[in-house]
Amino acid sequence: MSTIGKNQKIDVAILWFKRDLRVWDHSPLIAAAAEGPVLPVFIVEPEFWSLTDASARHWAFVSECLRDLQNALAKLGQPLLIRQGEAVTVLRSLAKSYKISALFSHEETGNSWTYARDQKVRAWCRDQGIIWHEVAQHGVQRRLVSRNGWARAWDRQMAKALGAPPNLTPVTVSEFGSIPTEKELSLSPDPCPERQRGGRELACDTLHSFLTERGENYRSDMSNPLKGATSCSRISPYLAWGCLSMREVFHATNERRHTLKTDAIKGGWTGALSSFTGRLHWHCHFIQKLEDEPSLEFENLHKSYNILRPRTLDKTRLTAWSTGETGLPFVDACMRSLIATGWLNFRMRAMLMAVASYHLWLDWRVTGEHLARSFTDYEPGIHWPQVQMQSGTTGINTIRIYNPVKQGYDQDAAGTFTRRWLPELADVEDKFLQEPWKCEAARKILGTRYPLPIIDHLSAAKEAREQIWAVRNGSDFKTKAKVIADKHGSRGAGIRMRGQRPKKPQDDRQLGFSFDGK
């Protein structure tokens, strides 16, 4: 065992775990171990957890992932250090006990706060003469010059062999630290009784069950809020926090396709896995947008929309939307489901954002933060481009104003999903479930147990459409949109939405939030 002498420091490489809570296929861990003793560290940053896009349900999930990671690292020979505080302060403290030979981590495309923090860490490393080795986490490319060939580069990255976890040389540590509770981090209460649990073992089980059992009807069920909860992959939180690597998922999917072909098993699997593979590309495609344009978190991608919505929020509308009390049954059912489970399928995520931005005419920055806190699988690089897409501010995507009543009838025809989350409407007939204001029996309910609609959804949509198109018909709108498309467009090369045949290059259509709103 390596020991620390009284007047001597041993050389160690610091492995900084961020959103990559695993030991399998972890390139920085493998590279660090090749240099000698490794000190694996996770830094709990209170300032990060106080941000408006962070929540207690996120930390609860991360805590479970960390416990799995602790066990995995201990089996490799070196347990995980948990340190709390500002990143540079923590590294500076470790440098008092160890001679840090290098810092290793995955690259992170996070929010503006994590970017600023990384800049501080980079400056500290430079001042200390410490090389910080950052390795690509997914298929996202730093300092990308052009999107041309991006999909082919993604394929090459994913085709690389998976890396097995290395054995680690034990390093003497006086105190490994403990995982703080939500209360110790001063996080607001955030009950989420049906939240997915974190950890590597559950991540692998979830992927396996999707590829072998649950996923056959993926293509047909993904838009249904009830069926989608089972038929969708549900691996999104495990990708967001790195319990699984994208490469692992890609390899497992290809192996399953090969098995199905060898065993001559068809059914719905061929189309399902083709669609799923397309989604794997889209996952990184959207993160690349934020990597290339960090201001997406705060500013309209197309600046012509800066004059569109008021920055002063209608708090009554915001509260009704965020608590599932708009009086539009399907919207409220989706929001309440999200609050209770931390997950929602892609179409319903898109609808919630569209209703907030178009029908309620709310600023996407604040409503986007509410959804970020609510999604257990919150991935900033996917979330903010999607928020803007569903709010109509990218300038390069089709304007899609969902009719929330029609969506209810189309996606929840039997009313099972709506009734589960809106027990107040138990006495309303099926044919009026999505429009209870048309039902005589609902008169005793509306305005008391369940609210009347806070807006007329048809007139609100009409007004929103007129305002959006007034901007789009501006004199220089198309010129600015072309610049955006050149920088962020998919190029249509190898990236498919649902496994369909490639079409000519165009906009990104209407994908839903996050990798696994699928």
Side-chain angles (χ1 to χ4, degrees), residues 225 282-283 287 293 403 422 441 447:
W282 282 106
H283 169 278
I287 298 177
E293 193 99 35
N403 180 325
L422 302 182

Side-chain angles (χ1 to χ4, degrees), residues 35-97:
E35 292 200 358
V38 178
L39 209 56
V41 180
F42 182 85
I43 304 175
V44 182
E45 301 164 282
E47 187 177 342
F48 171 84
W49 290 102
S50 70
L51 298 175
T52 52
D53 58 347
S55 66
R57 67 183 58 190
H58 293 165
W59 178 247
F61 186 90
V62 170
S63 297
E64 292 156 359
C65 297
L66 287 173
R67 282 190 278 275
D68 256 23
L69 183 61
Q70 284 177 319
N71 293 333
L73 285 166
K75 291 177 181 177
L76 295 179
Q78 180 57 52
L80 177 70
L81 272 72
I82 303 289
R83 292 293 183 265
Q84 187 168 328
E86 191 267 334
V88 170
T89 301
V90 168
L91 292 171
R92 189 180 292 124
S93 176
L94 291 173
K96 292 179 181 179
S97 301

Side-chain angles (χ1 to χ4, degrees), residues 201-445:
E201 184 176 352
L202 287 172
C204 293
D205 289 346
T206 303
L207 177 61
H208 178 74
S209 69
F210 170 72
L211 292 176
T212 60
E213 301 169 17
R214 298 183 292 108
E216 184 172 7
N217 296 318
Y218 172 71
R219 178 178 275 181
S220 60
D221 289 352
M222 67 167 70
S223 295
N224 184 289
L226 204 59
K227 294 179 180 178
T230 298
S231 297
C232 289
S233 76
R234 303 304 300 272
I235 66 170
S236 55
Y238 304 114
L239 279 175
W241 294 101
C243 300
L244 293 169
S245 75
M246 176 60 74
R247 187 158 44 221
E248 286 182 286
V249 177
F250 181 76
H251 279 241
T253 304
N254 278 351
E255 288 173 10
R256 175 61 172 158
R257 294 174 83 164
H258 178 73
T259 299
L260 292 169
K261 185 177 181 180
T262 301
D263 295 345
I265 298 173
K266 293 184 179 180
W269 282 110
T270 301
L273 296 185
S274 179
S275 295
F276 183 67
T277 301
R279 292 282 175 171
L280 300 183
H281 284 83
W282 282 106
H283 169 278
C284 301
H285 165 69
F286 275 97
I287 298 177
Q288 186 72 56
K289 288 175 182 284
L290 189 63
E291 175 69 31
D292 296 343
E293 193 99 35
S295 63
L296 267 169
E297 184 182 353
F298 305 109
E299 301 175 8
N300 293 316
L301 183 58
H302 197 300
K303 300 304 183 278
S304 294
Y305 287 115
N306 289 347
I307 61 172
L308 192 62
R309 295 183 179 94
R311 294 298 296 270
T312 302
L313 282 170
D314 184 322
K315 293 183 179 179
T316 299
R317 289 187 174 190
L318 175 62
T319 300
W321 174 81
S322 62
T323 57
E325 295 285 342
T326 66
L328 298 168
F330 194 55
V331 172
D332 293 340
C334 288
M335 183 61 78
R336 293 186 196 184
S337 174
L338 173 58
I339 292 169
T341 68
W343 184 88
L344 201 61
N345 71 325
F346 80 95
R347 184 181 292 273
M348 274 51 272
R349 295 183 187 214
M351 183 196 70
L352 282 182
M353 194 67 225
V355 168
S357 295
Y358 294 122
H359 299 83
L360 303 181
W361 210 240
L362 296 170
D363 190 286
W364 58 263
R365 297 161 184 85
V366 177
T367 52
E369 285 179 347
H370 173 78
L371 292 180
R373 292 189 296 270
S374 301
F375 293 144
T376 309
D377 57 15
Y378 170 51
E379 174 70 68
I382 301 175
H383 183 78
W384 293 110
Q386 284 287 339
V387 162
Q388 289 217 40
M389 176 184 291
Q390 307 305 339
S391 299
T393 56
T394 66
I396 61 173
N397 300 108
T398 303
I399 299 300
R400 186 169 190 180
I401 302 179
Y402 288 82
N403 180 325
V405 171
K406 184 177 184 299
Q407 285 296 308
Y409 286 127
D410 289 349
Q411 307 303 333
D412 188 29
T416 308
F417 178 81
T418 303
R419 290 191 184 283
R420 180 187 175 189
W421 297 107
L422 302 182
E424 307 98 306
L425 302 183
D427 295 333
V428 177
E429 299 174 58
D430 287 349
K431 64 180 180 179
F432 294 123
L433 183 59
Q434 302 301 338
E435 302 172 277
W437 51 88
K438 293 183 177 180
C439 177
E440 288 288 332
R443 290 185 177 181
K444 295 180 180 180
I445 301 171

Side-chain angles (χ1 to χ4, degrees), residues 486-507:
D486 288 344
K487 183 173 184 178
H488 296 289
S490 69
R491 302 295 189 274
I495 306 179
R496 305 179 188 180
M497 177 178 174
R498 297 187 181 178
Q500 74 269 36
R501 293 178 181 177
K503 296 181 179 180
K504 63 182 180 180
Q506 52 188 311
D507 64 32

Side-chain angles (χ1 to χ4, degrees), residues 432-491:
F432 294 123
L433 183 59
Q434 302 301 338
E435 302 172 277
W437 51 88
K438 293 183 177 180
C439 177
E440 288 288 332
R443 290 185 177 181
K444 295 180 180 180
I445 301 171
L446 300 181
T448 54
R449 284 187 287 162
Y450 185 70
L452 288 159
I454 61 173
I455 47 95
D456 179 305
H457 69 281
L458 293 176
S459 60
K462 181 176 182 294
E463 184 177 347
R465 190 174 291 106
E466 289 172 352
Q467 295 196 56
I468 287 285
W469 280 102
V471 174
R472 289 178 74 93
N473 290 330
S475 59
D476 61 345
F477 184 91
K478 291 183 179 179
T479 301
K480 294 178 180 177
K482 185 180 184 306
V483 174
I484 295 169
D486 288 344
K487 183 173 184 178
H488 296 289
S490 69
R491 302 295 189 274

Side-chain angles (χ1 to χ4, degrees), residues 97-157:
S97 301
Y98 306 93
K99 182 179 179 182
I100 301 176
S101 59
L103 176 65
F104 289 82
S105 77
H106 273 115
E107 294 176 347
E108 181 179 6
T109 303
N111 58 19
S112 62
W113 189 93
T114 62
Y115 176 79
R117 173 253 276 146
D118 284 357
Q119 292 291 80
K120 295 175 185 176
V121 170
R122 189 167 289 107
W124 180 81
C125 287
R126 187 167 52 247
D127 290 344
Q128 300 299 311
I130 296 171
I131 297 177
W132 183 6
H133 301 277
E134 289 186 277
V135 182
Q137 165 86 310
H138 299 306
V140 176
Q141 301 174 40
R142 284 262 171 102
R143 294 170 288 278
L144 184 67
V145 176
S146 170
R147 275 292 189 129
N148 293 331
W150 184 92
R152 288 187 292 276
W154 188 95
D155 288 336
R156 289 193 297 271
Q157 178 75 0

